[in-house]
Amino acid sequence: MIWLTWRQLRGSAAMMAAVLVILAIVLALTGPDLASRYSAGIAACTQDNTCGRFFDRFFGGHDMPFMAVSLVVLLLPAVVGLFWGAPLITRELEAGTHLMVWNQSITRTRWLAVKLGLTGLVAMAAACLCGLMVTWWSGPLDMSAPDELALMAPLVFGARGIAPMGYAAFAFVLGVTVGMVVRRTLPAMALTLAVFAAIQLAMPLLVRPHLMPPVTSTFELGQANVDGIGINRDQGGAVDIHLRSAVPGHAGAWVLSGSLVDPSGRTLGSGGEAAVPVSTTSGPCAPSGPPSMDACMAEINRLGYRQQATYQPLERFWPFQWIETGIYALLTLGLTWLSFWWIRRRLS
């Protein structure tokens, strides 16, 4: 069974290995230079306090390869589920070759165990290797990325660390299980893609924010968490505050929600925008002359207005990686049990 399973797998495994080798060569050739330029830029910008502009330039010059390698890691588990998992059993059922194997000395349980074990391990190893290679290469870019593409951001988190290994294992066994139930390759592939995509969307929206209790705190307003200010003449000259999805002192944090609160703790505005009732006819926020954002911000802070944010700090990246991978491992084990039950009781 091991020999037969390997003969069926070796073509797609060779193609996967070729893709990973090409990716590894590209990352190995470009990664050291990327890291050295980042280190040189940090050393230069810290002397004149211009690291914000350096981050923008550095990431802007590499945003396309950053997105490309992240997309490769995100798509790999789906490819495994579609082209390795869904056809694994359905092609045997459609051709009737499973009956020939079961009439030999091989039981259907052993037949399934070998197919799941060998193919699943190869899929997990490929996804884990791909995720770790991209994590190493993109380290300088992850540290300079904008808030919406930071390491803890939903779009990036799933393309880093060991989480892709859990995604690949789940997608593969999901495809196998769906294929057993549906018994047709193309419908099984379509249903596998739909279910996997739905779970991948639900995880960052509904589950991941609560893997550990989020931190809620208040922060003074400044360049780190304010995107801009302006005079709102429609509201009696109030100052409009546009908050960023970031918190001071916690670079790379995943901000789940943020709002402006007054000295009594009452929320002002919505969606990260609020109007602060501060004098705009005189004082630091007066529009006469060139506006001073720092002086106006200091006045707003003096009056007691703060950013209130709920967030997951960057330090929880690896704990989240292990917890989420464990969740997908449990889902994979559940589907594995279902596939063994189905092949013994419902499949003939």
Side-chain angles (χ1 to χ4, degrees):
M1 274 304 301
I2 295 177
W3 176 83
L4 176 61
T5 302
W6 172 246
R7 283 185 61 87
Q8 293 175 324
L9 174 66
R10 61 183 180 180
S12 54
M15 186 177 300
M16 178 73 76
V19 171
L20 291 178
V21 168
I22 294 173
L23 179 64
I25 292 174
V26 172
L27 297 183
L29 291 176
T30 58
D33 179 64
L34 188 68
S36 64
R37 278 188 285 156
Y38 176 80
S39 299
I42 289 294
C45 74
T46 50
Q47 297 179 2
D48 52 6
N49 198 26
T50 59
C51 287
R53 292 197 294 271
F54 166 72
F55 289 151
D56 292 338
R57 293 195 307 270
F58 183 75
F59 186 85
H62 303 89
D63 55 347
M64 291 302 294
F66 174 88
M67 295 301 298
V69 296
S70 299
L71 187 62
V72 169
V73 184
L74 290 173
L75 290 179
L76 192 147
V79 170
V80 166
L82 285 178
F83 299 103
W84 288 21
L88 188 72
I89 305 300
T90 54
R91 66 186 175 193
E92 306 280 2
L93 298 176
E94 289 176 335
T97 53
H98 65 294
L99 296 176
M100 179 188 67
V101 178
W102 293 350
N103 286 325
Q104 308 300 318
S105 60
I106 302 298
T107 64
R108 61 182 68 189
T109 301
R110 181 182 172 190
W111 178 72
L112 178 62
V114 173
K115 283 183 168 292
L116 284 179
L118 182 59
T119 311
L121 288 175
V122 173
M124 291 170 59
C128 185
L129 180 61
C130 186
L132 292 177
M133 287 192 303
V134 171
T135 301
W136 167 79
W137 179 86
S138 62
L141 295 174
D142 287 332
M143 290 185 285
S144 58
D147 302 328
E148 63 273 11
L149 293 175
L151 193 60
M152 287 288 287
L155 184 63
V156 179
F157 180 89
R160 300 291 185 270
I162 62 172
M165 176 179 63
Y167 303 157
F170 171 74
F172 170 69
V173 179
L174 175 66
V176 173
T177 306
V178 171
M180 284 187 185
V181 177
V182 177
R183 300 193 181 196
R184 292 292 183 270
T185 300
L186 291 180
M189 293 173 69
L191 187 57
T192 298
L193 179 61
V195 174
F196 182 69
I199 292 177
Q200 289 296 88
L201 289 175
M203 177 61 71
L205 294 177
L206 303 176
V207 179
R208 191 181 300 155
H210 310 289
L211 293 181
M212 297 177 68
V215 179
T216 300
S217 187
T218 56
F219 302 91
E220 289 192 350
L221 303 177
Q223 293 184 355
N225 56 357
V226 174
D227 195 31
I229 62 173
I231 304 300
N232 190 334
R233 302 188 184 279
D234 295 334
Q235 298 191 25
V239 175
D240 274 341
I241 302 291
H242 303 272
L243 294 176
R244 296 177 55 193
S245 182
V247 290
H250 297 275
W254 179 23
V255 179
L256 305 177
S257 63
S259 59
L260 191 70
V261 295
D262 63 13
S264 64
R266 183 172 59 92
T267 300
L268 303 178
S270 62
E273 298 184 7
V276 178
V278 61
S279 174
T280 58
T281 57
S282 62
C285 296
S288 58
S292 174
M293 178 178 175
D294 292 339
C296 184
M297 203 66 59
E299 175 66 11
I300 294 173
N301 284 323
R302 186 189 69 79
L303 294 174
Y305 294 92
R306 296 289 186 268
Q307 175 203 29
Q308 185 176 76
T310 300
Y311 62 98
Q312 295 286 1
L314 179 62
E315 293 76 16
R316 295 181 177 179
F317 172 77
W318 279 110
F320 271 38
Q321 285 275 317
W322 286 104
I323 295 172
E324 188 162 317
T325 303
I327 292 174
Y328 275 88
L330 292 176
L331 293 174
T332 302
L333 290 175
L335 287 176
T336 302
W337 174 86
L338 177 60
S339 65
F340 277 102
W341 179 86
W342 193 273
I343 201 172
R344 290 195 304 265
R345 304 293 181 87
R346 305 295 298 272
L347 200 59
S348 61

